[in-house]
Amino acid sequence: MAGADALIRLLRIRTYFRNYCSADEHLRRGEQVMKRKALVVGIDYYANIESLYGCARDASSVGQMLERDMDGSPNFDVQPIIAVDGTSSVRRGKLRNAVIQLFSGQNDVALFYFSGHGHVDETGGYLITSECEATLDGGLSLAEILTIADNSS
């Protein structure tokens, strides 16, 4: 159900951005095109805790939806990170580097979507990556993601 809630939120965001002109329309008007980047993460595979089913599929669907506008013109530059088995696992360092890359440079919009295990404790919330031993093993903290975003230009 959490994945469905996230998709509904994303659809609301998508509807909001649909009100903006497409990239082709901006170009026809001689205007600068907005730079939109998205990092879309779906982790089904977990080496040491229960794997999930559907997160990778959800993330792929969200990424495809973001890439093109309703009229087929380019929308977001999407970087997908998908883990379906051990060969495609997503480690904390890889996810952290991708988040840093998402918020680097001059962007009009930077969107981060995650579908997978999460954990909240007294120190904060965490996105659990493929190598974690248990939900108490950390992952990438939401506080760190917010710090990276806040320090972006």
Side-chain angles (χ1 to χ4, degrees):
M1 191 62 171
D5 290 339
L7 187 56
I8 289 168
R9 285 192 301 274
L10 185 62
L11 291 173
R12 287 183 184 142
I13 292 169
R14 176 80 168 134
T15 301
Y16 172 78
F17 283 114
R18 196 177 299 140
N19 294 329
Y20 286 99
C21 296
S22 69
D24 290 343
E25 181 63 25
H26 281 288
L27 291 173
R28 280 194 291 276
R29 294 181 185 174
E31 299 171 348
Q32 185 177 359
V33 177
M34 291 179 67
K35 182 160 173 81
R36 300 175 180 152
K37 290 175 24 180
L39 173 60
V40 178
V41 181
I43 303 178
D44 282 345
Y45 173 77
Y46 290 90
N48 302 302
I49 59 176
E50 184 179 349
S51 288
L52 297 171
Y53 301 94
C55 296
R57 184 186 62 240
D58 290 348
S60 294
S61 296
V62 166
Q64 289 173 0
M65 185 175 63
L66 289 171
E67 285 179 331
R68 295 277 168 195
D69 216 340
M70 293 292 288
D71 63 1
S73 63
N75 193 12
F76 278 83
D77 179 16
V78 175
Q79 179 191 0
I81 298 180
I82 307 295
V84 294
D85 57 30
T87 62
S88 60
S89 67
V90 177
R91 299 184 65 79
R92 182 188 181 281
K94 179 179 181 177
L95 181 57
R96 184 180 186 280
N97 289 339
V99 169
I100 290 169
Q101 183 62 36
L102 171 67
F103 291 107
S104 68
Q106 297 293 321
N107 303 307
D108 295 300
V109 178
L111 186 147
F112 178 60
Y113 175 88
F114 179 86
S115 183
H117 279 302
H119 173 71
V120 177
D121 63 20
E122 63 278 352
T123 63
Y126 299 87
L127 303 180
I128 306 302
T129 49
S130 295
E131 83 283 7
C132 290
E133 294 292 327
T135 55
L136 298 177
D137 189 21
L140 184 60
S141 80
L142 296 176
E144 185 174 5
I145 293 170
L146 290 174
T147 299
I148 293 167
D150 287 344
N151 292 332
S152 66
S153 50

